[in-house]
């Protein structure tokens, strides 16, 4: 990583790209349930190799969804909820905007219907 923080839109993009893969979603579920785990431990629970798990964890890390900390010879991974929370807030704001638009359409349609009577 370059040390530069992505902008809000880029952060959401990274999270959505990372979550698009079902294996990465499974990894997040496992980490959320376990709290912390190594790539080896995670690979034992999935139908993919340890190397594939490490690559998926790198994508999740780049998106800000997990972090790894060295513990002796192992790297222990844990969920970092901030990026997921920010993406959920963005999605909630988007949904609220659509709700407002639909409410306006409904109001106009009902007013037009009343005017036609």
């Amino acid at each position: 990583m370059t040390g530069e923080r992505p902008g809000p839109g880029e952060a959401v993009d990274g999270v959505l790209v990372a979550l698009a893969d079902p294996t990465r979603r499974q990894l997040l579920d496992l980490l959320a349930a376990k709290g912390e785990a190594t790539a080896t431990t995670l690979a034992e629970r999935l139908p993919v190799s340890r190397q594939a798990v490490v690559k998926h964890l790198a994508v999740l890390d780049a998106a800000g969804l997990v972090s790894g900390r060295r513990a002796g010879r192992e790297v222990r991974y844990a969920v970092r909820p901030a990026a997921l929370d920010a993406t959920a807030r963005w999605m909630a704001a988007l949904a609220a905007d659509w709700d407002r638009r639909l409410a306006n359409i409904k109001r106009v349609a009902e007013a037009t219907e009343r005017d036609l009577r």
Side-chain angles (χ1 to χ4, degrees), residues 22-112:
T23 300
R24 290 193 283 268
R25 291 193 305 272
Q26 283 182 295
L27 284 170
L28 278 178
D29 287 342
L30 287 170
L31 285 172
K34 289 184 165 289
E36 240 185 17
T38 65
T40 301
T41 303
L42 293 166
E44 291 169 357
R45 304 283 307 269
L46 296 170
V48 296
S49 69
R50 182 192 170 285
Q51 291 79 7
V53 167
V54 169
K55 289 180 182 182
H56 284 298
L57 288 168
V59 173
L60 292 169
D61 185 27
L65 294 170
V66 301
S67 61
R69 70 169 179 82
R70 189 158 286 287
R73 293 179 47 173
E74 298 179 324
V75 177
R76 301 193 61 75
Y77 293 91
V79 173
R80 289 176 36 201
L84 195 55
D85 290 343
T87 302
R89 284 191 305 275
W90 172 79
M91 292 175 80
L94 183 64
D97 186 44
W98 276 105
D99 287 345
R100 280 190 297 277
R101 290 178 184 189
L102 291 172
N104 285 338
I105 291 169
K106 180 181 179 191
R107 192 183 79 254
V108 168
E110 288 172 347
T112 302

